[in-house]
């Protein structure tokens, strides 16, 4: 296509038409978009940029050229394979230009890896990156419960996988099963599986819908493209962050996905995952009965051994009579020696008493009494002066203490107590006034309520109270039997028949019963 056609009859700068920059850019844009409206480009992903707008900007390159590319926000969220630097891909889209920078670019609609080798290279790169973060460490893996009460299964509800798992659980040990239906391949697989794992973990243990004790993420076999959703980073991180022990059963025994490395246990098949999750009930019953029999045999054997041991030890013990022979003989010997020992003891003590009494003489006692009397006579002259000094000290003590006393602290304390009493008095007066006002308001409110509930207000609406012979009349027969009637209106009473009412009978009062009409 020629943008500038030479006019017939001449050529040269003077005959060339003029175009604006926008016109040239638009013509180039139309040409490129018309010629390359749908293209497939194979190349290696270079620079990848993801700004806040949600669009993805990248470069496709080979050994000689670089092609800029863009994935708009709506398409970026739908890509089955996210572009990563160094990945060889086949991008499908259309070529266009960007007049603002005089460059052309490809608007990408879909991206897929260029062959299985590229997928495996990207898988290995992702596995190495996640392993470097420690998501596959054995220290993070949790032990599986021996006998879970509730088993959570994340899989497709319509496939043969869930039927195999339920059948195996029913055969081995029936347990409650919660199924979270997800897509097991395609673009929706990874986000749905990640949300299912996170959803099970957010359940409350023991709630209305209790949280499972173990999770099984299962899918049947397939190609690497079919199983690719279980290699996505979101699924791996959800499995590694799960607080519930997780068993991965994706594909056949030869299939390996990244969720297998992050899970707490890998099962070769979904059926094997059910076998790992629960033990065999019949085997547990048999084991329990065997342990019970072993326990009975062990207890019986131990009782027999202890009984025989007791019998053997009893034979070695001496007879009780032989144990008492020696003490009985020693008691008899001591009884024979006791009278002579008592006599000897009395004689020894009599001799000791005689020796002690021989050293006691009246002259010695008189000498000792004289010494004590002389010592007391020496102390008697000193007693009177000592008493005088003590009395003088006691007499001077109150005077000295009186000099240290001052009425100022007492007056200060009296003033402080007086201010406190005054403050309490003011608070008491204020509280009494407030309480009185509140009680008066309540009394006024009760009085208004009494007035509003009284029958006098009813009389103002056209009703009346009929009395006969001093009593309220409520029936026609009672009115005919009365000698006279008295009708009370809201503004007074009216007497019909009978004698005149007594003084004060027209005063308002609360009837025991009323007849309103």
């Amino acid at each position: 296509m020629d943008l500038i056609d030479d006019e017939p009859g001449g050529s040269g700068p003077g005959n060339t038409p003029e175009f604006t920059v926008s016109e040239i850019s638009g013509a180039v844009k139309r040409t490129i978009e018309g010629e390359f409206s749908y293209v497939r480009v194979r190349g290696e992903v270079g620079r990848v940029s993801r700004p806040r707008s949600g669009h993805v900007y990248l470069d496709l390159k080979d050994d000689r050229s670089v092609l800029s590319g863009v994935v708009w926000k709506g398409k970026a969220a739908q890509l089955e394979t996210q572009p990563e630097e160094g990945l060889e891909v086949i991008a499908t889209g259309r070529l266009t230009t960007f007049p603002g920078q005089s460059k052309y670019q490809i608007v990408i609609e879909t991206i897929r890896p260029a062959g299985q080798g590229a997928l495996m290279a990207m898988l290995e790169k992702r596995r190495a990156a996640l392993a470097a973060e420690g998501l596959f460490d054995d220290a993070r893996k949790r032990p599986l419960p021996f006998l879970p009460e509730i088993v959570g299964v994340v899989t497709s509800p319509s496939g043969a996988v869930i039927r195999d798992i339920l059948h195996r659980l029913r055969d081995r040990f029936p347990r409650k099963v919660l199924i979270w239906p997800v897509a097991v391949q395609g673009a929706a697989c990874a986000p749905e599986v990640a949300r299912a794992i996170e959803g099970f973990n957010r359940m409350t243990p023991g709630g209305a819908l209790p949280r499972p004790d173990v999770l099984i993420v299962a899918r049947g076999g397939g190609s690497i493209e079919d199983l690719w959703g279980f290699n996505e980073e979101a699924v791996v991180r959800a499995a590694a962050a799960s607080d519930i022990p997780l068993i991965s059963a994706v594909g056949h025994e030869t299939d390996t996905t990244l969720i297998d490395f992050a899970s707490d246990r890998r099962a070769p098949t979904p059926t094997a995952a059910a076998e790992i999750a629960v033990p065999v009930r019949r085997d547990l019953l048999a084991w329990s009965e065997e342990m019970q029999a072993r326990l009975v045999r062990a207890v019986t054997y131990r009782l027999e051994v202890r009984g025989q041991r007791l019998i053997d030890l009893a034979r070695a013990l001496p007879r009780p009579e032989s144990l008492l022979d020696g003490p009985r003989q020693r008691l008899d010997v001591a009884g024979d020696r006791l009278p002579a020992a008592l006599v000897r003891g009395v004689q020894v003590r009599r001799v000791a008493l005689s020796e002690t009494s021989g050293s006691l003489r009246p002259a010695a006692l008189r000498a000792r009494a004289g010494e004590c009397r002389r010592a007391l006579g020496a102390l008697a002259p000193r007693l009177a002066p000592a008493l005088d000094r003590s009395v003088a000290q006691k007499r001077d003590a109150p005077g000295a203490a009186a000099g240290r006393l001052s009425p100022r602290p007492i007056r200060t304390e009296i003033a402080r107590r007086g201010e406190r009493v005054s403050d309490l008095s003011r608070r008491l007066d204020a509280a009494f006034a407030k309480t009185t006002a509140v009680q008066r308001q309540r009394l006024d409110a009760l009085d208004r309520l009494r007035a509003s509930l009284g029958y006098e207000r009813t009389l103002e609406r056209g009703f009346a109270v009929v009395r006969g012979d001093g009593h309220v009349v409520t029936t026609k027969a009672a009115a005919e039997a009365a000698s006279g009637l008295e009708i009370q209106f809201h503004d007074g009473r009216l007497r019909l028949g009978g004698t005149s009412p007594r003084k004060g009978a027209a005063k308002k009062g609360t009837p025991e019963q009323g007849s309103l009409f």
Side-chain angles (χ1 to χ4, degrees), residues 159-216:
V161 171
I162 187 61
R163 292 195 297 271
D164 293 342
I165 292 176
L166 294 178
H167 178 71
R168 182 58 64 185
L169 290 175
R170 185 167 54 251
D171 288 344
R172 290 176 65 85
F173 205 120
R175 298 281 86 185
K176 296 179 181 179
V177 179
L178 293 180
I179 303 173
W180 195 301
V182 297
V184 293
Q185 69 181 49
C189 173
E192 289 187 7
V193 172
R195 285 196 297 270
I197 296 174
E198 294 171 355
F200 272 132
N201 279 271
R202 283 197 294 268
M203 290 182 178
T204 303
L209 188 62
R211 190 175 75 171
D213 300 314
V214 66
L215 294 182
I216 298 177

Side-chain angles (χ1 to χ4, degrees), residues 151-493:
V151 179
V153 181
V154 180
T155 188
S156 173
S158 59
V161 171
I162 187 61
R163 292 195 297 271
D164 293 342
I165 292 176
L166 294 178
H167 178 71
R168 182 58 64 185
L169 290 175
R170 185 167 54 251
D171 288 344
R172 290 176 65 85
F173 205 120
R175 298 281 86 185
K176 296 179 181 179
V177 179
L178 293 180
I179 303 173
W180 195 301
V182 297
V184 293
Q185 69 181 49
C189 173
E192 289 187 7
V193 172
R195 285 196 297 270
I197 296 174
E198 294 171 355
F200 272 132
N201 279 271
R202 283 197 294 268
M203 290 182 178
T204 303
L209 188 62
R211 190 175 75 171
D213 300 314
V214 66
L215 294 182
I216 298 177
V217 179
R219 186 204 187 281
S223 64
I224 186 173
E225 290 83 2
D226 296 336
L227 304 179
W228 191 255
F230 297 93
N231 292 319
E232 293 293 342
E233 184 176 349
V235 175
V236 176
R237 292 190 181 277
S242 174
D243 293 331
I244 306 174
L246 187 143
I247 303 173
S248 64
V250 178
H252 298 303
E253 187 172 359
T254 57
D255 297 325
T256 302
T257 56
L258 293 184
I259 193 176
D260 295 335
F261 298 100
S263 63
D264 300 298
R265 186 78 175 271
R266 178 184 181 269
T269 61
T271 304
E275 295 176 355
I276 294 173
V278 296
V280 181
R281 186 172 182 270
R282 289 189 295 272
D283 293 346
L284 288 179
L285 292 176
W287 178 83
S288 177
E289 292 174 357
E290 181 183 356
M291 292 298 105
Q292 183 179 3
R294 290 181 59 184
L295 179 62
V296 171
R297 290 195 301 269
V299 171
T300 303
Y301 174 75
R302 295 300 295 175
L303 289 177
E304 292 176 354
V305 170
R306 295 298 176 88
Q308 186 62 40
R309 180 64 174 167
L310 182 60
I311 294 173
D312 296 340
L313 293 175
R315 292 195 187 102
L317 293 175
R319 295 191 308 274
E321 294 80 4
S322 62
L323 294 176
L324 296 177
D325 288 344
R328 186 182 295 113
Q329 186 176 1
R330 289 195 298 273
L331 180 61
D332 293 340
V333 173
D336 294 340
R337 297 172 57 186
L338 181 59
L342 290 175
V343 173
R344 178 63 179 169
V346 170
Q347 292 176 354
V348 170
R349 287 171 174 75
R350 183 180 291 113
V351 172
L353 179 60
S354 299
E355 293 177 354
T356 303
S357 61
S359 60
L360 295 177
R361 297 288 185 270
L365 292 176
R366 284 193 293 271
R368 181 62 179 167
E371 292 177 0
C372 292
R373 188 179 294 106
R374 285 192 296 273
L376 182 61
L379 293 174
R382 298 169 56 189
L383 179 62
L387 288 176
D388 294 340
R389 288 195 300 271
S390 177
V391 170
Q393 290 177 358
K394 297 294 185 181
R395 186 182 296 109
D396 297 339
R404 294 194 301 269
L405 294 178
S406 175
R408 181 178 301 173
I410 299 176
R411 294 194 188 96
T412 304
E413 181 66 17
I414 292 174
R416 187 179 64 82
R417 296 293 180 91
E419 292 178 356
R420 185 176 180 184
V421 170
S422 301
D423 181 60
L424 291 176
S425 177
R426 289 192 299 272
R427 291 172 60 188
L428 179 62
D429 293 341
F432 178 76
K434 183 178 180 180
T435 304
T436 303
V438 171
Q439 296 296 334
R440 183 179 292 107
Q441 292 176 359
R442 290 184 60 188
L443 183 61
D444 294 341
L446 291 174
D447 185 66
R448 290 193 298 271
L449 180 61
R450 179 199 60 76
S452 63
L453 297 178
Y455 76 100
E456 289 85 354
R457 292 294 179 88
T458 307
L459 297 180
E460 294 178 358
R461 298 199 300 270
F463 294 89
V465 179
V466 179
R467 295 183 177 84
D469 298 334
H471 301 286
V472 176
V473 177
T474 59
T475 62
K476 178 181 178 183
E480 292 177 349
S483 60
L485 298 177
E486 184 183 59
I487 303 174
Q488 180 181 353
F489 298 95
H490 74 93
D491 57 348
R493 300 190 180 190

